[in-house]
Coordinates of all heavy atoms in Angstrom, one line a residue:
M109 N 0.9 -1.2 0.0 CA 0.0 0.0 0.0 C 0.9 1.2 0.0 O 1.9 1.3 0.7 CB -0.9 0.0 1.2 CG -1.8 1.2 1.4 SD -2.9 1.2 2.8 CE -2.5 -0.2 3.7
K110 N 0.5 2.3 -0.7 CA 1.3 3.5 -0.8 C 1.1 4.3 0.4 O 0.1 4.2 1.1 CB 0.8 4.3 -2.0 CG 1.0 3.8 -3.4 CD 0.5 4.7 -4.4 CE 0.6 4.2 -5.8 NZ 0.1 5.1 -6.8
V111 N 2.1 5.2 0.7 CA 2.0 6.1 1.8 C 1.5 7.5 1.2 O 0.8 8.2 1.9 CB 3.3 6.2 2.5 CG1 3.3 7.3 3.5 CG2 3.6 4.9 3.2
R112 N 2.0 7.8 0.0 CA 1.6 9.0 -0.6 C 0.9 8.7 -1.9 O 1.4 7.9 -2.7 CB 2.8 9.9 -0.9 CG 2.5 11.2 -1.6 CD 3.7 12.1 -1.7 NE 3.6 13.1 -2.7 CZ 2.9 14.3 -2.5 NH1 2.2 14.4 -1.3 NH2 2.8 15.2 -3.4
Y113 N -0.2 9.3 -2.1 CA -1.0 9.2 -3.4 C -1.0 10.5 -4.1 O -1.1 11.6 -3.5 CB -2.4 8.7 -3.1 CG -2.7 7.3 -2.6 CD1 -2.3 7.0 -1.4 CD2 -3.1 6.4 -3.5 CE1 -2.5 5.6 -0.9 CE2 -3.3 5.1 -3.1 CZ -3.0 4.7 -1.8 OH -3.2 3.4 -1.4
E114 N -1.0 10.4 -5.4 CA -1.1 11.6 -6.3 C -1.8 11.3 -7.6 O -1.4 10.3 -8.2 CB 0.4 12.1 -6.5 CG 0.5 13.4 -7.3 CD 1.9 13.9 -7.5 OE1 2.6 14.1 -6.4 OE2 2.3 14.0 -8.6
L115 N -2.7 12.1 -7.9 CA -3.4 11.9 -9.2 C -3.4 13.3 -10.0 O -3.3 14.3 -9.4 CB -4.9 11.5 -8.9 CG -5.1 10.1 -8.4 CD1 -6.6 9.9 -8.3 CD2 -4.6 9.1 -9.3
H116 N -3.6 13.1 -11.3 CA -3.8 14.2 -12.2 C -2.6 15.3 -12.0 O -2.9 16.5 -11.8 CB -5.1 14.9 -12.0 CG -6.2 13.9 -12.2 ND1 -6.6 13.4 -13.5 CD2 -7.1 13.3 -11.3 CE1 -7.6 12.6 -13.4 NE2 -7.9 12.4 -12.1
G117 N -1.4 14.8 -12.0 CA -0.2 15.6 -12.1 C -0.1 16.4 -10.7 O 0.4 17.5 -10.7
G118 N -0.6 15.8 -9.6 CA -0.4 16.5 -8.4 C -1.5 17.4 -8.0 O -1.5 18.1 -7.0
L119 N -2.6 17.5 -8.8 CA -3.8 18.3 -8.5 C -4.5 17.8 -7.2 O -5.1 18.6 -6.5 CB -4.7 18.4 -9.6 CG -4.2 19.2 -10.8 CD1 -5.2 19.1 -12.0 CD2 -3.9 20.6 -10.4
V120 N -4.4 16.5 -7.0 CA -5.0 15.9 -5.8 C -4.0 15.0 -5.1 O -3.4 14.2 -5.9 CB -6.4 15.2 -6.1 CG1 -6.2 14.2 -7.1 CG2 -7.0 14.7 -4.8
T121 N -3.8 15.1 -3.9 CA -2.8 14.3 -3.2 C -3.4 13.8 -1.8 O -4.3 14.4 -1.3 CB -1.5 15.0 -2.9 OG1 -1.8 16.2 -2.1 CG2 -0.8 15.5 -4.1
A122 N -2.8 12.7 -1.4 CA -3.2 12.2 0.0 C -2.0 11.6 0.7 O -1.1 11.1 -0.1 CB -4.3 11.2 -0.2
I123 N -2.0 11.6 2.0 CA -1.0 10.9 2.7 C -1.6 10.0 3.7 O -2.5 10.4 4.4 CB -0.1 12.0 3.5 CG1 0.6 12.9 2.5 CG2 0.9 11.4 4.4 CD1 1.2 14.1 3.1
L124 N -1.1 8.8 3.7 CA -1.6 7.7 4.6 C -0.5 7.4 5.6 O 0.7 7.5 5.3 CB -1.9 6.4 3.9 CG -3.1 6.5 2.9 CD1 -3.3 5.0 2.3 CD2 -4.3 6.9 3.5
N125 N -0.9 7.0 6.8 CA 0.0 6.5 7.8 C -0.4 5.1 8.2 O -1.3 4.9 9.0 CB 0.0 7.4 9.0 CG 1.0 7.0 10.1 OD1 1.8 6.1 9.9 ND2 0.9 7.7 11.2
P126 N 0.2 4.1 7.5 CA -0.1 2.7 7.9 C 0.3 2.4 9.4 O 1.3 3.0 9.8 CB 0.8 1.9 6.9 CG 1.2 2.8 5.9 CD 1.2 4.2 6.5
G127 N -0.5 1.6 10.0 CA -0.1 1.3 11.4 C 1.2 0.5 11.4 O 1.6 0.0 10.4
P128 N 1.8 0.4 12.6 CA 3.1 -0.3 12.7 C 3.0 -1.8 12.5 O 4.0 -2.4 12.2 CB 3.5 0.0 14.2 CG 2.3 0.5 14.9 CD 1.3 1.0 13.8
T129 N 1.8 -2.3 12.6 CA 1.6 -3.7 12.3 C 0.4 -3.9 11.4 O -0.4 -3.0 11.3 CB 1.3 -4.6 13.6 OG1 0.1 -4.2 14.1 CG2 2.4 -4.3 14.7
A130 N 0.2 -5.1 10.9 CA -0.8 -5.3 9.9 C -2.2 -5.2 10.6 O -3.2 -5.1 9.9 CB -0.6 -6.7 9.2
T131 N -2.2 -5.4 11.9 CA -3.5 -5.3 12.6 C -3.9 -3.9 13.1 O -5.0 -3.7 13.6 CB -3.5 -6.2 13.8 OG1 -2.5 -5.8 14.7 CG2 -3.3 -7.7 13.4
E132 N -3.0 -2.9 12.9 CA -3.3 -1.6 13.3 C -4.1 -0.9 12.2 O -3.9 -1.2 11.0 CB -2.0 -0.8 13.6 CG -1.3 -1.4 14.8 CD -2.0 -1.2 16.1 OE1 -2.6 -0.1 16.3 OE2 -1.9 -2.1 16.9
P133 N -4.9 0.1 12.5 CA -5.6 0.9 11.5 C -4.7 1.7 10.6 O -3.5 2.0 11.1 CB -6.6 1.8 12.2 CG -6.3 1.6 13.6 CD -5.3 0.5 13.8
V134 N -5.1 2.0 9.5 CA -4.4 3.0 8.6 C -5.1 4.3 8.7 O -6.3 4.4 8.8 CB -4.5 2.5 7.1 CG1 -3.9 3.5 6.2 CG2 -3.9 1.1 6.9
T135 N -4.2 5.3 8.9 CA -4.8 6.7 9.1 C -4.6 7.5 7.9 O -3.5 7.6 7.3 CB -4.0 7.4 10.3 OG1 -4.1 6.6 11.4 CG2 -4.6 8.8 10.5
L136 N -5.7 8.1 7.4 CA -5.7 9.1 6.3 C -5.3 10.4 6.9 O -6.1 11.0 7.6 CB -7.0 9.1 5.5 CG -7.2 10.2 4.5 CD1 -6.1 9.9 3.4 CD2 -8.5 10.1 3.8
E137 N -4.1 10.8 6.8 CA -3.6 12.0 7.4 C -4.0 13.3 6.7 O -4.3 14.3 7.3 CB -2.1 12.0 7.5 CG -1.4 10.9 8.3 CD -1.6 11.1 9.8 OE1 -2.0 12.2 10.2 OE2 -1.4 10.1 10.5
E138 N -4.1 13.2 5.4 CA -4.4 14.4 4.6 C -4.9 14.0 3.2 O -4.4 13.0 2.6 CB -3.2 15.2 4.4 CG -3.4 16.4 3.6 CD -2.1 17.2 3.4 OE1 -1.7 17.9 4.4 OE2 -1.5 17.2 2.3
I139 N -5.9 14.7 2.7 CA -6.3 14.6 1.3 C -6.5 16.1 0.9 O -7.1 16.8 1.6 CB -7.6 13.8 1.1 CG1 -7.8 13.6 -0.4 CG2 -8.8 14.3 1.8 CD1 -8.7 12.4 -0.7
F140 N -5.8 16.4 -0.2 CA -5.8 17.8 -0.6 C -6.1 18.0 -2.1 O -5.5 17.2 -2.9 CB -4.5 18.5 -0.3 CG -4.3 19.9 -0.7 CD1 -5.0 20.9 0.0 CD2 -3.6 20.2 -1.9 CE1 -4.8 22.2 -0.4 CE2 -3.5 21.5 -2.3 CZ -4.2 22.5 -1.6
V141 N -6.9 18.8 -2.5 CA -7.3 19.2 -3.9 C -6.9 20.6 -4.1 O -7.4 21.5 -3.4 CB -8.7 18.9 -4.2 CG1 -9.0 19.2 -5.6 CG2 -9.1 17.5 -3.8
R142 N -6.1 20.8 -5.1 CA -5.7 22.2 -5.4 C -7.0 22.9 -5.9 O -7.9 22.4 -6.5 CB -4.7 22.3 -6.5 CG -3.3 21.7 -6.0 CD -2.3 21.7 -7.1 NE -2.1 23.0 -7.7 CZ -1.0 23.7 -7.5 NH1 0.0 23.4 -6.8 NH2 -1.0 24.9 -8.1
E143 N -7.1 24.2 -5.6 CA -8.3 25.0 -5.8 C -8.8 24.9 -7.3 O -10.0 24.7 -7.6 CB -8.0 26.4 -5.5 CG -9.2 27.3 -5.6 CD -9.1 28.7 -5.1 OE1 -8.0 29.0 -4.5 OE2 -9.9 29.6 -5.3
E144 N -7.9 24.9 -8.3 CA -8.2 24.9 -9.7 C -8.8 23.5 -10.1 O -9.4 23.4 -11.2 CB -7.1 25.3 -10.6 CG -5.9 24.3 -10.6 CD -4.8 24.7 -9.6 OE1 -5.1 25.4 -8.6 OE2 -3.7 24.2 -9.8
A145 N -8.7 22.5 -9.2 CA -9.1 21.2 -9.6 C -10.4 20.8 -8.8 O -10.9 19.7 -9.0 CB -8.0 20.1 -9.3
R146 N -10.9 21.6 -8.0 CA -12.0 21.3 -7.2 C -13.3 21.2 -8.0 O -13.5 21.9 -9.0 CB -12.2 22.3 -6.0 CG -11.1 22.2 -5.0 CD -11.2 23.2 -3.9 NE -10.0 23.0 -3.1 CZ -9.5 23.9 -2.3 NH1 -10.2 25.1 -2.1 NH2 -8.4 23.7 -1.6
G147 N -14.2 20.3 -7.6 CA -15.5 20.2 -8.2 C -15.5 19.2 -9.4 O -16.4 19.1 -10.2
R148 N -14.3 18.6 -9.7 CA -14.2 17.7 -10.9 C -14.2 16.2 -10.5 O -14.1 15.3 -11.4 CB -12.8 17.9 -11.5 CG -12.7 19.3 -12.1 CD -11.3 19.5 -12.8 NE -11.1 20.8 -13.2 CZ -10.1 21.2 -13.8 NH1 -9.1 20.3 -14.0 NH2 -9.9 22.5 -14.2
G149 N -14.4 15.9 -9.2 CA -14.5 14.5 -8.8 C -13.2 13.8 -8.5 O -13.1 12.7 -8.3
Y150 N -12.1 14.6 -8.6 CA -10.7 14.0 -8.4 C -10.6 13.5 -7.0 O -9.9 12.5 -6.8 CB -9.7 15.1 -8.7 CG -9.5 15.5 -10.1 CD1 -8.8 16.6 -10.4 CD2 -10.1 14.8 -11.1 CE1 -8.7 17.1 -11.7 CE2 -10.0 15.2 -12.4 CZ -9.3 16.3 -12.7 OH -9.1 16.8 -14.0
A151 N -11.1 14.2 -5.9 CA -11.0 13.7 -4.6 C -11.7 12.4 -4.4 O -11.2 11.5 -3.7 CB -11.4 14.7 -3.6
T152 N -12.9 12.3 -5.0 CA -13.6 11.1 -4.9 C -12.9 9.9 -5.6 O -12.8 8.8 -5.1 CB -15.0 11.2 -5.6 OG1 -15.8 12.2 -4.8 CG2 -15.8 10.0 -5.7
E153 N -12.3 10.2 -6.8 CA -11.5 9.2 -7.5 C -10.3 8.7 -6.6 O -10.1 7.5 -6.5 CB -11.0 9.8 -8.8 CG -10.1 8.9 -9.6 CD -9.5 9.6 -10.8 OE1 -9.8 10.8 -11.1 OE2 -8.7 9.0 -11.5
L154 N -9.7 9.7 -5.9 CA -8.5 9.3 -5.1 C -9.0 8.5 -3.9 O -8.4 7.5 -3.5 CB -7.8 10.5 -4.7 CG -6.5 10.3 -3.9 CD1 -5.5 9.4 -4.6 CD2 -5.8 11.6 -3.5
L155 N -10.1 9.0 -3.2 CA -10.5 8.3 -2.0 C -11.0 6.9 -2.3 O -10.8 6.0 -1.6 CB -11.6 9.1 -1.3 CG -12.0 8.5 0.1 CD1 -10.8 8.4 1.0 CD2 -13.1 9.4 0.7
T156 N -11.6 6.7 -3.5 CA -12.0 5.4 -3.9 C -10.9 4.5 -4.1 O -10.9 3.3 -3.7 CB -12.9 5.5 -5.2 OG1 -14.0 6.3 -5.0 CG2 -13.3 4.1 -5.7
R157 N -9.8 5.0 -4.7 CA -8.6 4.2 -4.9 C -7.9 3.8 -3.5 O -7.5 2.7 -3.3 CB -7.6 4.9 -5.7 CG -6.4 4.1 -6.0 CD -5.4 4.8 -7.0 NE -6.1 4.9 -8.3 CZ -5.6 5.6 -9.3 NH1 -4.3 6.1 -9.2 NH2 -6.2 5.7 -10.4
I158 N -7.9 4.8 -2.6 CA -7.3 4.5 -1.3 C -8.1 3.5 -0.6 O -7.6 2.5 0.0 CB -7.3 5.9 -0.5 CG1 -6.2 6.8 -1.0 CG2 -7.0 5.5 1.0 CD1 -6.3 8.2 -0.5
C159 N -9.5 3.6 -0.6 CA -10.3 2.6 0.1 C -10.1 1.2 -0.5 O -10.1 0.2 0.2 CB -11.8 3.1 0.0 SG -12.2 4.5 1.0
S160 N -10.0 1.1 -1.8 CA -9.7 -0.1 -2.5 C -8.4 -0.8 -2.0 O -8.3 -1.9 -1.7 CB -9.8 0.0 -4.0 OG -9.5 -1.1 -4.6
D161 N -7.4 0.1 -1.9 CA -6.1 -0.4 -1.5 C -6.1 -0.9 -0.1 O -5.6 -1.9 0.3 CB -5.0 0.6 -1.6 CG -4.6 0.9 -3.1 OD1 -5.1 0.1 -4.0 OD2 -3.8 1.8 -3.4
V162 N -6.8 -0.2 0.8 CA -6.9 -0.5 2.2 C -7.8 -1.8 2.4 O -7.4 -2.6 3.2 CB -7.4 0.7 3.1 CG1 -7.8 0.3 4.5 CG2 -6.5 1.9 3.1
D163 N -8.8 -1.9 1.6 CA -9.7 -3.1 1.7 C -8.9 -4.3 1.2 O -9.1 -5.4 1.7 CB -10.8 -2.9 0.7 CG -11.9 -2.0 1.3 OD1 -11.9 -1.6 2.5 OD2 -12.8 -1.7 0.5
A164 N -7.9 -4.1 0.3 CA -7.1 -5.2 -0.2 C -6.3 -5.9 0.9 O -5.9 -7.0 0.8 CB -6.3 -4.8 -1.3
V165 N -5.9 -5.1 1.9 CA -5.1 -5.7 3.1 C -6.0 -5.8 4.3 O -5.5 -6.0 5.4 CB -3.9 -4.8 3.3 CG1 -2.9 -4.8 2.1 CG2 -4.3 -3.4 3.7
S166 N -7.3 -5.7 4.1 CA -8.3 -5.9 5.2 C -8.0 -5.0 6.4 O -8.1 -5.5 7.6 CB -8.4 -7.4 5.6 OG -8.8 -8.2 4.5
A167 N -7.7 -3.8 6.1 CA -7.4 -2.9 7.3 C -8.6 -1.9 7.5 O -9.3 -1.6 6.6 CB -6.1 -2.1 7.0
V168 N -8.6 -1.4 8.7 CA -9.5 -0.3 9.1 C -8.8 1.0 8.7 O -7.6 1.2 8.8 CB -9.7 -0.3 10.6 CG1 -10.5 0.9 11.1 CG2 -10.5 -1.6 11.0
L169 N -9.7 1.9 8.2 CA -9.2 3.3 7.8 C -9.8 4.3 8.7 O -11.0 4.3 8.8 CB -9.5 3.5 6.3 CG -9.0 4.8 5.6 CD1 -7.5 4.9 5.7 CD2 -9.5 4.9 4.2
I170 N -8.9 5.1 9.3 CA -9.5 6.2 10.2 C -9.0 7.5 9.7 O -8.0 7.7 9.0 CB -9.1 5.9 11.6 CG1 -7.6 6.0 11.8 CG2 -9.7 4.6 12.1 CD1 -7.2 5.9 13.2
L171 N -9.7 8.6 10.1 CA -9.3 9.9 9.8 C -10.0 10.9 10.8 O -10.9 10.5 11.5 CB -9.8 10.3 8.4 CG -11.3 10.2 8.0 CD1 -12.0 11.6 8.4 CD2 -11.4 10.0 6.6
S172 N -9.5 12.1 10.8 CA -10.1 13.2 11.6 C -10.5 14.2 10.6 O -9.8 14.7 9.8 CB -9.0 13.8 12.5 OG -9.5 14.8 13.3
V173 N -11.8 14.6 10.8 CA -12.4 15.5 9.8 C -11.9 17.0 10.1 O -12.0 17.5 11.3 CB -14.0 15.5 9.9 CG1 -14.6 16.5 9.0 CG2 -14.5 14.1 9.6
D174 N -11.3 17.6 9.1 CA -10.7 18.9 9.3 C -11.0 19.7 8.0 O -10.3 19.4 7.0 CB -9.2 18.9 9.6 CG -8.6 20.2 9.8 OD1 -9.4 21.3 9.7 OD2 -7.4 20.3 9.9
P175 N -12.0 20.6 8.0 CA -12.3 21.2 6.8 C -11.4 22.2 6.2 O -11.5 22.6 5.1 CB -13.6 21.9 7.1 CG -13.7 22.1 8.6 CD -12.8 21.0 9.1
G176 N -10.3 22.6 6.9 CA -9.4 23.5 6.4 C -10.0 24.9 6.3 O -11.1 25.2 6.8
L177 N -9.3 25.8 5.6 CA -9.8 27.2 5.5 C -10.7 27.5 4.3 O -11.5 28.4 4.4 CB -8.6 28.1 5.5 CG -7.7 28.1 6.7 CD1 -6.5 28.9 6.5 CD2 -8.4 28.5 7.9
D178 N -10.5 26.9 3.2 CA -11.2 27.3 2.0 C -11.8 26.1 1.2 O -12.0 26.2 0.0 CB -10.2 28.0 1.1 CG -9.0 27.3 0.7 OD1 -8.8 26.1 1.2 OD2 -8.3 27.8 -0.2
G179 N -12.1 25.0 1.9 CA -12.7 23.8 1.1 C -14.1 23.6 1.6 O -14.8 24.6 1.9
L180 N -14.5 22.4 1.7 CA -15.8 22.0 2.0 C -16.0 22.3 3.5 O -15.1 22.3 4.3 CB -16.1 20.5 1.8 CG -16.0 20.0 0.4 CD1 -16.2 18.5 0.3 CD2 -17.0 20.7 -0.5
T181 N -17.3 22.5 3.9 CA -17.6 22.7 5.3 C -17.5 21.4 6.1 O -17.4 20.3 5.4 CB -19.1 23.2 5.5 OG1 -20.0 22.2 5.1 CG2 -19.3 24.5 4.7
Y182 N -17.5 21.5 7.4 CA -17.4 20.3 8.2 C -18.5 19.3 7.8 O -18.3 18.1 7.6 CB -17.5 20.6 9.7 CG -17.4 19.4 10.6 CD1 -16.1 19.0 11.0 CD2 -18.5 18.8 11.1 CE1 -16.0 17.9 11.8 CE2 -18.4 17.7 11.9 CZ -17.1 17.2 12.2 OH -17.0 16.2 13.1
A183 N -19.8 19.8 7.8 CA -20.9 18.9 7.5 C -20.8 18.3 6.1 O -21.2 17.2 5.9 CB -22.2 19.7 7.6
Q184 N -20.3 19.1 5.1 CA -20.1 18.5 3.7 C -19.1 17.4 3.7 O -19.3 16.4 3.1 CB -19.7 19.7 2.8 CG -20.8 20.7 2.5 CD -20.3 21.9 1.7 OE1 -19.3 22.4 2.0 NE2 -21.1 22.3 0.8
L185 N -18.0 17.6 4.5 CA -17.0 16.6 4.5 C -17.5 15.3 5.2 O -17.2 14.2 4.7 CB -15.7 17.1 5.3 CG -14.8 17.9 4.5 CD1 -13.7 18.5 5.5 CD2 -14.1 17.2 3.4
V186 N -18.2 15.5 6.3 CA -18.8 14.3 7.0 C -19.7 13.5 6.0 O -19.6 12.3 5.9 CB -19.5 14.7 8.3 CG1 -20.3 13.5 8.8 CG2 -18.5 15.2 9.3
A187 N -20.5 14.2 5.3 CA -21.4 13.5 4.3 C -20.6 12.9 3.2 O -21.0 11.8 2.8 CB -22.4 14.6 3.8
W188 N -19.6 13.5 2.8 CA -18.7 12.9 1.7 C -18.1 11.7 2.2 O -18.1 10.6 1.5 CB -17.7 14.0 1.2 CG -16.9 13.5 0.1 CD1 -17.3 13.3 -1.2 CD2 -15.5 13.3 0.1 NE1 -16.2 13.0 -2.0 CE2 -15.1 12.9 -1.2 CE3 -14.5 13.4 1.1 CZ2 -13.8 12.6 -1.5 CZ3 -13.2 13.1 0.8 CH2 -12.9 12.7 -0.5
Y189 N -17.5 11.7 3.4 CA -16.8 10.5 3.9 C -17.9 9.4 4.2 O -17.6 8.2 4.0 CB -16.0 10.9 5.2 CG -14.8 11.6 5.0 CD1 -14.5 12.8 5.6 CD2 -13.8 11.1 4.1 CE1 -13.4 13.5 5.4 CE2 -12.6 11.8 3.9 CZ -12.4 13.0 4.5 OH -11.2 13.6 4.3
E190 N -19.0 9.8 4.6 CA -20.1 8.8 4.9 C -20.5 8.0 3.6 O -20.7 6.8 3.6 CB -21.3 9.4 5.5 CG -21.1 9.7 7.0 CD -22.3 10.5 7.6 OE1 -23.1 11.1 6.9 OE2 -22.4 10.5 8.8
R191 N -20.5 8.7 2.5 CA -20.8 8.1 1.2 C -19.7 7.1 0.8 O -19.9 6.2 0.0 CB -20.9 9.2 0.0 CG -22.2 10.0 0.2 CD -22.4 10.8 -1.0 NE -21.4 11.8 -1.4 CZ -21.4 13.1 -1.0 NH1 -22.3 13.4 -0.1 NH2 -20.4 13.9 -1.3
H192 N -18.5 7.2 1.4 CA -17.4 6.3 1.2 C -17.3 5.2 2.3 O -16.3 4.5 2.3 CB -16.1 7.0 1.0 CG -16.1 7.9 -0.3 ND1 -15.8 7.3 -1.5 CD2 -16.4 9.1 -0.5 CE1 -15.8 8.3 -2.4 NE2 -16.2 9.3 -1.8
G193 N -18.3 5.1 3.1 CA -18.4 4.0 4.0 C -17.8 4.3 5.4 O -17.7 3.5 6.3
F194 N -17.5 5.6 5.7 CA -16.9 6.0 7.0 C -18.1 6.2 8.0 O -19.2 6.6 7.5 CB -16.1 7.3 6.9 CG -14.8 7.1 6.3 CD1 -14.6 7.2 4.9 CD2 -13.7 6.9 7.0 CE1 -13.4 7.0 4.3 CE2 -12.4 6.7 6.5 CZ -12.3 6.8 5.1
Q195 N -17.8 5.9 9.2 CA -18.8 6.1 10.3 C -18.2 7.0 11.3 O -17.0 6.9 11.6 CB -19.2 4.8 10.9 CG -19.8 3.8 9.9 CD -19.8 2.4 10.5 OE1 -19.3 2.1 11.6 NE2 -20.3 1.4 9.7
G196 N -19.0 7.9 11.8 CA -18.5 8.9 12.8 C -19.2 8.9 14.0 O -20.1 8.0 14.3
S197 N -18.8 9.7 14.9 CA -19.4 9.8 16.3 C -19.7 11.3 16.5 O -18.9 12.2 16.2 CB -18.4 9.3 17.3 OG -18.8 9.7 18.6
P198 N -20.8 11.6 17.1 CA -21.1 13.0 17.4 C -20.2 13.6 18.5 O -20.1 14.8 18.7 CB -22.5 13.0 17.8 CG -22.8 11.6 18.3 CD -21.9 10.7 17.5
D199 N -19.4 12.7 19.1 CA -18.6 13.2 20.3 C -17.2 13.7 19.8 O -16.5 14.4 20.6 CB -18.4 12.1 21.3 CG -19.7 11.6 21.9 OD1 -20.6 12.4 22.0 OD2 -19.8 10.4 22.2
D200 N -16.8 13.4 18.6 CA -15.5 13.8 18.2 C -15.4 13.9 16.6 O -16.4 13.6 16.0 CB -14.3 12.9 18.8 CG -14.4 11.5 18.3 OD1 -14.9 11.2 17.2 OD2 -14.0 10.6 19.1
D201 N -14.3 14.3 16.1 CA -14.1 14.4 14.7 C -13.6 13.2 14.0 O -13.3 13.2 12.8 CB -13.1 15.6 14.4 CG -13.6 16.9 14.9 OD1 -14.9 17.1 15.0 OD2 -12.8 17.8 15.2
V202 N -13.4 12.1 14.7 CA -12.8 10.9 14.1 C -13.9 10.1 13.4 O -15.0 9.9 13.9 CB -12.2 10.0 15.2 CG1 -11.7 8.7 14.6 CG2 -11.0 10.8 15.9
M203 N -13.6 9.7 12.2 CA -14.4 8.8 11.4 C -13.7 7.5 11.1 O -12.4 7.6 10.9 CB -14.9 9.5 10.1 CG -15.7 10.7 10.4 SD -16.5 11.3 8.9 CE -17.9 10.2 8.7
I204 N -14.4 6.4 11.0 CA -13.8 5.1 10.9 C -14.4 4.4 9.7 O -15.7 4.4 9.6 CB -13.9 4.2 12.2 CG1 -13.2 4.9 13.3 CG2 -13.4 2.8 11.9 CD1 -13.4 4.3 14.7
R205 N -13.6 3.8 8.9 CA -14.2 2.9 7.8 C -13.7 1.5 8.1 O -12.6 1.2 8.1 CB -13.6 3.3 6.4 CG -14.3 2.6 5.3 CD -13.7 3.2 3.9 NE -14.4 2.6 2.8 CZ -14.0 1.4 2.3 NH1 -13.0 0.8 2.7 NH2 -14.7 0.9 1.3
P206 N -14.7 0.6 8.5 CA -14.4 -0.7 8.8 C -13.6 -1.5 7.7 O -13.8 -1.1 6.6 CB -15.7 -1.4 9.1 CG -16.7 -0.2 9.3 CD -16.1 0.9 8.5
A207 N -12.9 -2.5 8.1 CA -12.1 -3.3 7.1 C -13.1 -3.9 6.1 O -14.2 -4.3 6.5 CB -11.3 -4.4 7.8
G208 N -12.8 -3.8 4.8 CA -13.7 -4.3 3.8 C -13.3 -5.7 3.2 O -12.2 -6.2 3.4

């Protein structure tokens, strides 16, 4: 599994932190879409690829929702991650995608 993902010439990137052992969750540290590439589905394409790679090793994928300064709102991000199989808790910003 990759640690750094890049699509469309670097317009969309992601960084994963695999757990220290095969039984530890994989953390999606960052997914970033350059402003000029937003709204084209590139982030969805990349997250789909990441989920597929993580599923291939039967790992749990976790992340912390952080909308940043100029992207989607917190609620929009939560809804987007939910469409990709992540589950959240109203008590914190962590979302978990069970092993597939």
Side-chain angles (χ1 to χ4, degrees):
M109 177 178 6
K110 294 181 182 179
V111 173
R112 178 175 165 75
Y113 286 77
E114 183 177 300
L115 290 180
H116 303 288
L119 291 175
V120 58
T121 59
I123 298 173
L124 295 182
N125 183 5
T129 68
T131 59
E132 296 292 321
V134 175
T135 303
L136 176 57
E137 298 287 347
E138 175 182 290
I139 188 163
F140 178 76
V141 181
R142 293 176 57 107
E143 187 173 349
E144 65 268 22
R146 293 180 184 160
R148 297 182 185 180
Y150 292 165
T152 295
E153 179 184 357
L154 183 58
L155 187 57
T156 299
R157 183 174 296 177
I158 290 168
C159 290
S160 177
D161 287 355
V162 172
D163 286 349
V165 296
S166 299
V168 171
L169 183 59
I170 63 173
L171 59 86
S172 180
V173 179
D174 180 4
L177 298 175
D178 59 352
L180 299 176
T181 66
Y182 182 87
Q184 289 171 321
L185 277 174
V186 167
W188 184 67
Y189 286 123
E190 286 175 341
R191 288 193 300 273
H192 291 277
F194 286 86
Q195 302 165 357
S197 165
D199 300 329
D200 59 31
D201 297 335
V202 175
M203 295 190 79
I204 299 170
R205 186 175 185 274

